[in-house]
Amino acid sequence: MISDETLIQLLADGHFHSGEELALQLNVSRTAVWKRLKKLSALGLAVESVKGRGYRLSQPLELLNKELIEHHLPESSQAVIDQLMLLSLIDSTNSHLLGKAKSNHISSKANVCLAEYQSGGRGRRGRQWVSPYGSNLYLSIDWQFDGGVAALEGLSLAVGVVIVRALSSFDLSDVSLKWPNDILMDGEKLGGVLIEVVGDHAGPCRAVIGVGINVNMPAQDIEIDQPWVDLKGVSRNHLAAALIHELIEMLTLFESDGLKEYMKEWQQLDAFKGKMVSVISGQKIVSGLCCGIADNGALVIDVDGVKQNMHGGELSLRLSHEP
Ligand code: BTN
């Protein structure tokens, strides 16, 4: 049985490898190699085959590397993390940490889980998060909060702010935030955040914060139902380290001070402030002028001169027409 992982590691350089060479390295027949190569497309990998030269991936991959991530992760953050898990194939990094939290397998302050591929990547409002192998970043971090679920108010907004901070070291154009926590680049979706909570509503609880960032989306067969953009060329390992560090710093501060440290920055990054928007919740649509956020992280909409605060993870925000 050839491991997908070893085969992908051999092909990750984007160079041609002959069937013979791959068979030798994996210690299997060339037919077995060929069968396995055919299956890689199910993981979102495109393999090109050229007679006389062999096989190669249509784009090289920078695979996740624990040593490299740790090398770029400041000691202060490493000290807080109990486990830094790098997985190859998983249903969802959020589900993985939630499962551990539910079965009480976690007692530490924080753990981080990254995966090369998610077979059941999850977005907000029950949507799928497209997660091809080795191309983007799928990261979850869990954090023990002692103050119950109320202490998490506004957390998703603070997460958005620190994702933008992590991205700022990569010299990107026009990164902004769309309430509650979509990351936009040039107005198109670059990433998103899914926060899930396990535990006591009043007592200790554990938040699992999942972050998906499009880094190198493969060109073929990507079905995403909204305009998206990716970072192209940014190192996944460097970005992972920057994100983990910013998240750990933020979570430490958020626990004592809540959203207030991040309010001003969020307002500055707000992609929709001053624009006419519609907030959709199931069949209900509220339209008005987007006035930014309230102290508790609610979205403030001016509907015919009356300000309304909108909360909740199930809401969806759309631009309507300009004022
Ligand atoms: C959204 O914008 O809808 C949120 C997307 C969140 C995706 C990330 S990828 C890592 C983590 N695992 C998941 O299954 N989802 C989150």
Side-chain angles (χ1 to χ4, degrees):
M1 168 77 179
I2 312 168
S3 130
D4 282 336
E5 219 177 324
T6 319
L7 179 57
I8 295 168
Q9 276 164 6
L10 291 170
L11 293 170
D13 59 11
H15 299 154
F16 278 108
H17 297 266
S18 69
E20 202 173 3
E21 174 204 330
L22 294 171
L24 205 67
Q25 299 254 24
L26 296 162
N27 202 19
V28 294
S29 70
R30 285 176 61 175
T31 314
V33 169
W34 181 77
K35 281 187 183 155
R36 187 55 56 159
L37 283 165
K38 277 186 74 176
K39 288 190 182 155
L40 292 187
S41 66
L43 300 177
L45 293 169
V47 181
E48 295 171 6
S49 138
V50 174
K51 221 172 168 196
R53 300 191 73 186
Y55 306 94
R56 72 170 178 190
L57 291 179
S58 60
Q59 59 182 27
L61 301 177
E62 182 203 357
L63 296 173
L64 296 172
N65 179 325
K66 194 169 179 178
E67 277 161 30
L68 206 53
I69 294 174
E70 282 174 345
H71 177 75
H72 289 281
L73 192 59
E75 191 52 48
S76 59
S77 289
Q78 294 199 37
V80 181
I81 299 167
D82 185 37
Q83 283 188 63
L84 173 59
M85 301 167 226
L86 260 59
L87 309 173
S88 180
L89 310 177
I90 191 79
D91 53 349
S92 143
T93 53
N94 260 36
S95 304
H96 189 67
L97 288 183
L98 281 172
K100 283 183 179 293
K102 281 182 190 152
S103 55
N104 286 329
H105 279 150
I106 306 183
S107 55
S108 50
K109 187 72 189 165
N111 295 276
V112 176
C113 177
L114 286 139
E116 296 288 11
Y117 175 83
Q118 297 186 119
S119 56
R122 295 184 288 111
R124 284 178 61 235
R125 298 185 294 117
R127 290 164 125 181
Q128 180 206 3
W129 188 256
V130 174
S131 310
Y133 196 101
S135 342
N136 302 324
L137 219 56
Y138 320 118
L139 180 155
S140 298
I141 176 165
D142 67 5
W143 192 266
Q144 172 78 30
F145 279 92
D146 296 326
V149 173
L152 305 183
E153 196 172 69
L155 176 62
S156 68
L157 280 79
V159 172
V161 168
V162 297
I163 292 175
V164 178
R165 285 189 192 172
L167 290 167
S168 68
S169 51
F170 296 94
D171 191 26
L172 306 168
S173 61
D174 191 25
V175 178
S176 61
L177 293 171
K178 175 184 157 197
W179 188 91
N181 46 23
D182 277 4
I183 320 299
L184 307 182
M185 190 164 82
D186 298 326
E188 297 186 328
K189 185 145 174 170
L190 176 68
V193 178
L194 177 69
I195 299 184
E196 297 173 290
V197 183
V198 192
D200 203 329
H201 269 243
C205 65
R206 192 163 274 276
V208 175
I209 299 149
V211 179
I213 305 280
N214 300 332
V215 181
N216 256 323
M217 196 68 98
Q220 72 290 343
D221 295 339
I222 294 298
E223 280 176 32
I224 301 181
D225 58 359
Q226 58 185 313
W228 59 267
V229 67
D230 61 5
L231 292 173
K232 285 277 182 281
V234 162
S235 157
R236 295 165 74 222
N237 288 297
H238 287 198
L239 179 58
L243 281 171
I244 295 167
H245 178 58
E246 290 291 351
L247 286 165
I248 299 270
E249 296 248 289
M250 178 276 291
L251 286 160
T252 311
L253 188 63
F254 189 92
E255 230 184 338
S256 55
D257 292 11
L259 181 61
K260 68 172 185 284
E261 269 305 309
Y262 302 93
M263 283 289 290
K264 198 169 156 214
E265 220 168 320
W266 203 96
Q267 306 268 20
Q268 285 163 352
L269 291 164
D270 188 351
F272 283 13
K273 194 168 182 179
K275 301 202 167 147
M276 292 302 289
V277 294
S278 297
V279 183
I280 303 153
S281 166
Q283 300 296 312
K284 201 175 152 217
I285 302 182
V286 177
S287 296
L289 182 70
C290 186
C291 303
I293 51 170
D295 288 353
N296 63 0
L299 178 73
V300 184
I301 304 284
D302 184 323
V303 184
D304 301 327
V306 180
K307 292 226 164 83
Q308 292 192 17
N309 285 12
M310 326 283 292
H311 303 261
E314 296 309 307
L315 298 179
S316 132
L317 178 63
R318 300 260 182 283
L319 271 184
S320 31
H321 51 87
E322 299 296 324

